[in-house]
Amino acid sequence: MSNAPKTRPKVPEGKSRFLTTRQKEANEKGYVGYDTIWESFQKEQEYQTPKRP
């Protein structure tokens, strides 16, 4: 059991429809975090004022 590696393996980038996750570098305590990047669900249209009657 003591021969277990102390470092985490590099995880490939995860992709789904609206979400991307990337592994961060380990800090001094050995904690490995993840970046979560969200893509927008909806498109924004430029607002146009309505015509006056």
Side-chain angles (χ1 to χ4, degrees):
M1 288 279 177
S2 63
N3 294 339
K6 300 274 184 192
T7 59
R8 301 270 318 250
K10 184 71 175 161
V11 176
E13 186 175 284
K15 286 193 170 244
S16 66
R17 187 171 179 191
F18 297 108
L19 179 69
T20 304
T21 56
R22 290 189 199 125
Q23 184 178 7
K24 293 182 181 179
E25 294 297 320
N27 64 8
E28 63 277 351
K29 293 183 179 180
Y31 175 75
V32 177
Y34 295 90
D35 284 324
T36 305
I37 301 154
W38 287 94
E39 296 177 21
S40 62
F41 286 80
Q42 53 194 0
K43 297 176 184 173
E44 289 187 23
Q45 255 336 61
E46 183 179 326
Y47 179 76
Q48 297 176 353
T49 55
K51 292 182 185 176
R52 293 186 152 212

